[in-house]
Amino acid sequence: MTDATSPTARIEKPGYRFYVLAILIFVYMLNFLDRQIIGILAAPLKAEFGMSDSQFGLLGGIAFASVYSTLAIPLAWLADRFSRVWIMTGALAVWSGFTALCGMAGSFGQLFLCRMGVGVGEAGGVAPAYSLIADYFPPHQRARALAGFAFGIPLGMAAGTLVGGLLAATYGWRTAFIVVGLLGLVLAPLLRLTIRDPKRGGTDVARVVVAADPTATATPIVIGTGPGRLASLIMLGLGGGLLALSLLDRLTGAIGGSPLVWAFGGGLALVIGVSLMIARTTASFVIPKPSFWLLALGAASSSVCGYGVAGWLPLFFMRSFDLTLAQTSWYYSGIALIGGIIGIWCGGLIADRLGKKGKGAYPMTPAIAFLISAPCFILAMNSPWLIGLVVPGGGSNTLQLVLAFLIFLIPTGLNLAWLGPVTAAVQHLVPAPMRSTASALFLLINNLLGIAVGFFYFGWMSDLLAPTFGEESLRWAIYTGMGFYLLASVLLFGASRTLKRDWID
């Protein structure tokens, strides 16, 4: 008989896996809280350091995403071989510590480096959690479990917006960073002491566990062999580094001048190359699969808009809706919390049910959601015009804000509906022992494009349009970004046609 106090017994108890999920959701909430708090602090940070919208986009995007995306691969590789819980605990402590240090930054450069430190820590927080959830929940429940885990996103966005905004309005932006950072440091010991690593592939069909040897050589290596493989990986890394470099070079001097810009780009290229070399076995497994690219690029296209809009909407509300920092905190946190939770849960629930009839339902669900999101965002941003079609003069300011709030709930939910279905589908593109690394490869593409490009794009476009539209330039920048949702929909429709062939049960 199994000892009731043993780790194995606790894992086998039905209630324990839901406890694990709850803790992981809370950790993910802190992950997003620390990541997105910068959005609500845009106004005081820009005033403190005299930043343009482009520079703030650089701070919120590439500073975080460059290290977050690339270091996720070696950390996920370690998570596929060693304790996932230990890695997540260390990651939580690191990103929380650097979040607190953001509150002590005395210059733009120092804040930039602290944001990079947050990215270093958060690199180890997501892919191992995906793998843990896949090993606690059987295949027919995974989309819902992963959707439940994704609740951390709207919870974190809402908490970061509300807590960060109110603290900043009352005590200053430095206090906001320090308080939320210390909260994560308190949670880290609880994560380590109460969560255990389950057997890898333990909830999968037996044949998958047998076939899931990460050292197997049956799958052809398509990246090349020997020096050729290494050269190919380094070239891919250089491509990623040069992409970041091209963005930084537009703002030469923003973080200390050209030498530091080139050093940053070269270092990033090296990290990407080494990361891909570490992940070569899993990369060789997923790269030949069209579904992986369609899912990753589809999610990345949506994330350009998702991360970008989430990061810039607080400033939009203050500029175009004339809300104060405290008012924006309450207003946007309500949108993020209500819309996000409904959208994420419905996305996972619908995909799990439709997925029994066909695997294509996993990407098809968010593909349809994105088609609806784009026009809803535009309507919500133009609530006075919408009311004016019925009420002469556009109605009162309160009526406009209420209508905008209600409409914003729709795209806020729909643009997060992909999280459960798509991440569940990625888990089924590889055998169980490769899941953390496969998730990290997926997140590399998603976040380098989504966070780095998305956050920067809207700030850069706002500056570009400012001579024409003035204070309303951010509104028009957001309009242009809606095209990324349409691209995401097309790519995910494509994935719905290839997923059945690439799926591993």
Side-chain angles (χ1 to χ4, degrees):
M1 181 178 295
T2 306
D3 183 0
T5 62
S6 70
T8 302
R10 287 203 287 178
I11 290 172
E12 290 175 351
K13 289 182 178 180
Y16 179 69
R17 62 180 179 178
F18 291 102
Y19 168 78
V20 171
L21 183 59
I23 293 295
L24 294 179
I25 290 171
F26 192 53
V27 171
Y28 201 24
M29 183 193 80
L30 293 179
N31 182 295
F32 251 79
L33 191 161
D34 291 5
R35 184 187 313 184
Q36 293 295 117
I37 190 175
I38 196 168
I40 191 62
L41 301 180
L45 287 174
K46 281 166 58 66
E48 176 86 11
F49 299 113
M51 289 182 279
S52 66
D53 284 354
S54 296
Q55 288 176 314
F56 183 72
L58 186 68
L59 180 68
I62 196 69
F64 173 87
S66 57
V67 288
Y68 171 70
S69 304
T70 52
L71 289 179
I73 293 178
L75 289 174
W77 180 85
L78 290 172
D80 276 334
R81 288 154 178 79
F82 303 102
S83 170
R84 291 166 285 190
V85 176
W86 263 115
I87 289 172
M88 288 190 65
T89 302
L92 173 59
V94 169
W95 89 59
S96 299
F98 274 104
T99 297
L101 287 175
C102 285
M104 304 177 187
S107 66
F108 178 87
Q110 291 176 8
L111 187 57
F112 188 97
L113 292 174
C114 287
R115 287 292 294 174
M116 289 184 69
V118 175
V120 170
E122 293 199 9
V126 181
Y130 285 165
S131 179
L132 283 171
I133 292 169
D135 284 338
Y136 272 108
F137 291 86
H140 67 280
Q141 294 180 342
R142 279 184 193 149
R144 275 171 289 176
L146 286 165
F149 174 66
F151 282 169
I153 295 176
L155 289 170
M157 289 174 60
T161 301
L162 183 60
V163 176
L166 294 180
L167 284 173
T170 306
Y171 302 105
W173 63 269
R174 295 182 185 277
T175 300
F177 275 124
I178 293 171
V179 169
V180 299
L182 293 178
L183 180 60
L185 292 174
V186 172
L187 178 64
L190 179 67
L191 172 66
R192 175 62 191 93
L193 294 174
T194 64
I195 305 299
R196 298 292 181 268
D197 269 292
K199 178 183 178 182
R200 298 178 193 270
T203 59
D204 291 339
V205 179
R207 67 177 181 275
V208 175
V209 177
V210 173
D213 180 5
T215 63
T217 58
T219 303
I221 303 299
V222 298
I223 303 177
T225 57
R229 179 192 301 169
L230 179 59
S232 299
L233 292 167
I234 295 298
M235 288 302 294
L236 287 171
L238 286 172
L242 290 175
L243 172 64
L245 182 60
S246 66
L247 293 175
L248 288 169
D249 208 32
R250 295 186 62 89
L251 299 170
T252 298
I255 59 170
S258 291
L260 186 54
V261 168
W262 281 98
F264 176 84
L268 179 60
L270 179 62
V271 172
I272 293 176
V274 172
S275 296
L276 289 174
M277 185 175 66
I278 288 174
R280 61 186 180 273
T281 301
T282 304
S284 298
F285 202 97
V286 297
I287 283 176
K289 296 188 174 186
S291 298
F292 174 77
W293 291 104
L294 291 167
L295 290 169
L297 292 175
S301 297
S302 74
S303 292
V304 169
C305 234
Y307 281 114
V309 170
W312 286 100
L313 269 183
L315 194 58
F316 166 79
F317 289 139
M318 296 173 71
R319 286 182 181 176
S320 298
F321 283 18
D322 295 323
L323 298 180
T324 65
L325 177 59
Q327 289 170 335
T328 299
S329 300
W330 286 103
Y331 190 75
Y332 187 46
S333 63
I335 293 172
L337 182 64
I338 298 170
I341 287 180
I342 293 174
I344 289 173
W345 183 250
C346 288
L349 182 63
I350 292 171
D352 264 344
R353 290 185 176 179
L354 295 181
K356 296 176 182 178
K357 300 178 181 179
K359 306 306 181 187
Y362 286 89
M364 183 70 77
T365 300
I368 295 172
F370 292 140
L371 287 178
I372 303 171
S373 290
C376 286
F377 264 123
I378 295 174
L379 288 175
M381 294 168 68
N382 290 277
S383 60
W385 170 82
L386 200 58
I387 294 175
L389 296 177
V390 180
V391 180
S396 66
N397 185 59
T398 300
L399 181 60
Q400 294 170 9
L401 288 172
V402 170
L403 181 61
F405 183 94
L406 295 175
I407 300 177
F408 266 121
L409 293 177
I410 299 172
T412 299
L414 292 176
N415 72 7
L416 294 175
W418 70 269
L419 288 160
V422 172
T423 52
V426 171
Q427 298 295 301
H428 284 279
L429 294 178
V430 296
M434 296 182 182
R435 284 177 179 152
S436 290
T437 308
S439 295
L441 288 168
F442 167 80
L443 291 171
L444 171 66
I445 298 170
N446 181 54
N447 292 320
L448 272 181
L449 292 176
I451 303 177
V453 176
F455 214 110
F456 178 81
Y457 170 83
F458 289 101
W460 170 74
M461 184 59 70
S462 177
D463 280 344
L464 188 66
L465 297 175
T468 303
F469 297 103
E471 283 293 302
E472 288 295 298
S473 63
L474 186 55
R475 172 193 296 274
W476 287 90
I478 294 174
Y479 289 165
T480 68
M482 292 298 109
F484 288 104
Y485 278 139
L486 304 181
L487 176 60
S489 184
V490 171
L491 291 167
L492 291 175
F493 271 120
S496 70
R497 302 178 67 89
T498 63
L499 189 57
K500 181 179 179 180
R501 182 172 67 250
D502 296 334
W503 189 274
I504 295 177
D505 284 315

